[in-house]
Amino acid sequence: AQRVTQPEKLLSVFKGAPVELKCNYSYSGSPELFWYVQYSRQRLQLLLRHISRESIKGFTADLNKGETSFHLKKPFAQEEDSAMYYCALSTNVNYGGSQGNLIFGKGTKLSVKP
Amino acid sequence: GAGVSQTPSNKVTEKGKYVELRCDPISGHTALYWYRQSLGQGPEFLIYFQGTGAADDSGLPNDRFFAVRPEGSVSTLKIQRTERGDSAVYLCASSPTNYPDTQYFGPGTRLTVL
């Protein structure tokens, strides 16, 4: 079954510390992976996607097919990074998946303390 | 430009009643998705439209749930005989094309069934 697992419900770090939000997925085909973020009182928005290989707001994520992981990292956390982070998987239609619907993890709440 | 909008922002209803939730996607976006987010969970896929047709409704939990998009723009999610377990935030997202484009989310409708 297709699944996304985010093992940490809450991650609390101090400003300037490195951050790693974990994401593991289960999918037999070729996945498309995303990180979405929801800041307080704002709507869910895309942070980054693995195919673009961009660094957004200092965050990066590398797809590791061997470990089926897509962990989100930032070397120096800022207070404005405090938010809810969701890892999401989009399945490839050629492997019988749906055309673009996202499978989300339960999310990790990141709290960056001053 | 205008993002995805959803109305109402909040809906309180009694068990057994019928409700309609509306989504206005970004102009020109052909793909439209509905998700449901229960407390402490990530968004869960309900249904996907490509144009006017429902390309994938595999996420609808039962036949009390139905959605339409008659002109390929605005969509309405309809829930009959609401149950307390239907209480959740209902999210709508749109994207310019289908897989694997970025999805732009609306603010959601919080449905409470008493």
Side-chain angles (χ1 to χ4, degrees):
Chain A
Q2 299 144 9
R3 188 186 305 122
V4 174
T5 303
Q6 294 180 251
E8 303 137 329
K9 285 184 71 172
L10 172 65
L11 185 63
S12 185
V13 301
F14 285 102
K15 177 183 171 182
V19 169
E20 182 179 54
L21 288 84
K22 291 184 167 48
C23 172
N24 288 89
Y25 66 91
S26 173
Y27 178 54
S28 57
S30 181
E32 298 287 348
L33 283 148
F34 305 78
W35 277 98
Y36 277 79
V37 61
Q38 187 166 26
Y39 300 101
S40 179
R41 290 184 290 277
Q42 294 188 27
R43 61 187 67 189
L44 199 59
Q45 59 185 284
L46 178 69
L47 179 63
L48 57 80
R49 51 193 301 185
H50 91 270
I51 59 171
S52 62
R53 302 189 68 80
E54 293 176 295
S55 172
I56 306 293
K57 299 185 179 182
F59 284 97
T60 59
D62 289 318
L63 177 60
N64 185 323
K65 291 188 177 181
E67 296 183 359
T68 60
S69 68
F70 188 56
H71 302 328
L72 183 68
K73 300 177 184 180
K74 184 169 182 176
F76 307 104
Q78 303 300 313
E79 288 179 69
E80 56 265 29
D81 296 328
S82 296
M84 197 73 190
Y85 290 81
Y86 294 95
C87 182
L89 164 71
S90 180
T91 58
N92 187 319
V93 67
N94 292 324
Y95 287 81
S98 294
Q99 295 174 352
N101 65 290
L102 296 170
I103 300 165
F104 284 88
K106 291 186 178 183
T108 297
K109 183 174 182 178
L110 175 64
S111 174
V112 181
K113 299 177 180 178
Chain B
V4 177
S5 62
Q6 292 184 247
T7 54
S9 55
N10 276 286
K11 176 71 176 177
V12 180
T13 191
E14 293 179 345
K15 180 175 179 292
K17 298 289 189 183
Y18 167 82
V19 296
E20 289 190 351
L21 311 180
R22 176 187 167 108
C23 172
D24 276 272
I26 293 171
S27 177
H29 282 194
T30 58
L32 185 147
Y33 304 82
W34 282 99
Y35 295 86
R36 177 169 71 173
Q37 186 170 22
S38 301
L39 196 62
Q41 305 293 316
E44 177 188 20
F45 170 72
L46 295 176
I47 186 170
Y48 153 62
F49 287 89
Q50 180 59 34
T52 60
D56 183 355
D57 64 358
S58 62
L60 294 177
N62 51 59
D63 61 6
R64 295 186 298 105
F65 288 75
F66 188 70
V68 296
R69 195 186 184 198
E71 297 178 358
S73 178
V74 170
S75 176
T76 305
L77 178 66
K78 307 180 181 193
I79 311 174
Q80 297 178 320
R81 304 183 304 280
T82 51
E83 299 178 357
R84 292 195 180 90
D86 299 335
S87 296
V89 175
Y90 289 81
L91 296 169
C92 175
S94 70
S95 67
T97 62
N98 58 358
Y99 163 88
D101 244 319
T102 298
Q103 294 185 24
Y104 297 85
F105 282 82
T109 293
R110 182 175 297 278
L111 175 65
T112 303
V113 182
L114 301 177

